[in-house]
Each structure stands twice: as C-alpha cells, then as structure tokens.
Amino acid sequence: TAGITQAPTSQILAAGRSMTLRCTQDMRHNAMYWYRQDLGLGLRLIHYSNTAGTTGKGEVPDGYSVSRANTDDFPLTLASAVPSQTSVYFCASSDREGYEQFFGPGTRLTVL
Amino acid sequence: GQNIDQPTEMTATEGAIVQINCTYQTSGFNGLFWYQQHAGEAPTFLSYNVLDGLEEKGRFSSFLSRSKGYSYLLLKELQMKDSASYLCAVMDSNYQLIWGAGTKLIIKP
C-alpha cells in the first residue's frame, strides 16, 4: 500500500510561473490537507477538504488554490509563484476530520 | 490568538529518559497530538490525548492536563534512532490542527 504520494519530490521555479503540486492517497480517506513547513515555524494549514467536492481555507491560503474532484486526489496550485512560497509542502489525509493525519513525503519547492 | 509552545532543542543521552513539554492556548480543544519527524522526512503519528492523564505506548508516554493547557511526551530508554523533531499539535474547535514549531531532540552516545 502506497499511502500518500506527492509529486514532484523537489522543484525549482521561476517567480511568476505557475505550478501544480500533486497529491494522491489510496486509503479512501475523506479528509485531505495541504501544509507548508518553514524553518522555525510549525506546520501551517493552507487548504483542506473534508470530503470530495468541498474545500476550505486554512491559515495561509493566499496565493494557493485547490480542487477535490474525487476522493483520491488533492492538487495544490500556485497561480503565480513568489519567493515567499519557497517551502516544504506536505499533503496529509485522515479518515475524517478530527482523526489522526497521515502525511505524504513532501515536496521541496524553491521559488527564485 | 492561538499559540503552541515547546522548547526549540533538547539534548539527552542514549539509554536515559527525556521529557518534552508543550503548552497551548487555543480556541477550543478537541485533543492533542504528538508527531515524530526525522530530518528530511514526513511527520508520523505518535500519540493522541483528549482526556486528562497519561497514555502509555511502549517506550513513549504522553500526558495531558486540560486545565493547565499542558502536555508532555516522555521517551524512555532512549535510542540513537530517537534523534528527531517532536511536534505538538492541538485540534481546535474547528477540528483543525494548530502546530508547535517542534522540539529537535539530539541523542548523544
């Protein structure tokens, strides 16, 4: 069982370009989450989805968008990247909100 | 505002015991989680407390006092592989996790 996969593993992106970070889970979990992790700061929630077809904004949603067309996939899009979006991005899922979250391996993004 | 505090870094000796503290102030409380994160890897779940008291799981135990807004993670019989960051997170009234910055634990032989 793969659990949660993320792609790409790492990426260097020019400022102003767009990019989609992919996240797929095979656990049939209802809830999915996108976090960013920066040195010295805790994980910060960007967007979440409690079930397929619904999404919500987290603590730091500006500059990011998500969609949840089905249970398994939860892509995160940066429409026009800026250097402050340089970070490690983790996708996570849980059976439902309030339960233990399982994390993907992360995507290390550098915006120059 | 919402706040989770834990020490930035701790050092302990192999075979010893270490306690990592976490204090929190959040809008609502639906449980406290501890995660382990090795360098360059994803966080992995360690423990969950929603009621006051101690939860024991092998070498790891977690304690919660809701009235004091306080938790600790106790690691016994430390091994070199326990060198990692330990993340404290509180689930708020919206069932979202609020994360501390993590405690980097260094184990020395």
Side-chain angles (χ1 to χ4, degrees):
Chain A
T1 302
I4 301 182
T5 58
Q6 293 185 236
T9 301
S10 65
Q11 182 75 45
I12 299 175
L13 187 67
R17 301 295 295 267
S18 66
M19 174 159 190
T20 295
L21 279 60
R22 300 185 297 279
C23 174
T24 300
Q25 54 106 356
D26 65 1
M27 297 176 283
R28 308 301 294 172
H29 283 171
N30 286 309
M32 297 187 74
Y33 313 85
W34 273 106
Y35 292 95
R36 59 178 291 173
Q37 187 174 40
D38 302 290
L39 198 63
L41 300 177
L43 287 159
R44 290 183 291 169
L45 183 65
I46 304 170
H47 285 285
Y48 65 94
S49 169
N50 288 331
T51 188
T54 69
T55 62
K57 293 181 179 180
E59 180 186 355
V60 289
D62 294 344
Y64 306 94
S65 63
V66 292
S67 62
R68 186 89 184 278
N70 57 60
T71 298
D72 299 344
D73 301 300
F74 191 42
L76 177 74
T77 297
L78 289 69
S80 179
V82 294
S84 62
Q85 292 178 310
T86 294
S87 187
V88 179
Y89 291 85
F90 286 103
C91 179
S93 72
S94 63
D95 190 22
R96 38 188 166 137
E97 62 174 350
Y99 279 52
E100 168 195 349
Q101 293 183 14
F102 295 84
F103 284 78
T107 293
R108 183 175 296 276
L109 179 67
T110 302
V111 182
L112 300 175
Chain B
Q2 308 204 92
N3 196 48
I4 311 287
D5 285 319
Q6 47 182 133
T8 302
E9 187 175 295
M10 298 181 70
T11 302
T13 304
E14 189 177 14
I17 299 173
V18 71
Q19 178 176 310
I20 302 174
N21 296 324
C22 172
T23 58
Y24 63 89
Q25 290 179 308
T26 57
S27 56
F29 180 85
N30 281 300
L32 186 143
F33 293 78
W34 283 96
Y35 279 76
Q36 181 189 59
Q37 185 177 26
H38 285 101
E41 297 183 6
T44 56
F45 170 78
L46 285 178
S47 68
Y48 170 68
N49 295 70
V50 67
L51 300 176
D52 289 353
L54 189 68
E55 295 280 342
E56 297 186 80
K57 191 185 295 185
R59 294 189 299 114
F60 292 8
S61 303
S62 56
F63 172 83
L64 174 67
S65 169
R66 288 173 297 171
S67 63
K68 296 182 179 179
Y70 168 70
S71 172
Y72 68 72
L73 180 69
L74 191 71
L75 291 73
K76 303 177 185 177
E77 302 170 13
L78 286 170
Q79 302 175 9
M80 297 303 293
K81 68 178 182 179
D82 297 329
S83 292
S85 289
Y86 292 85
L87 314 181
C88 173
V90 172
M91 187 155 286
D92 69 9
S93 57
N94 295 317
Y95 291 93
Q96 302 300 343
L97 282 176
I98 310 300
W99 296 80
T103 298
K104 182 178 181 181
L105 179 63
I106 299 168
I107 309 297
K108 295 185 174 180

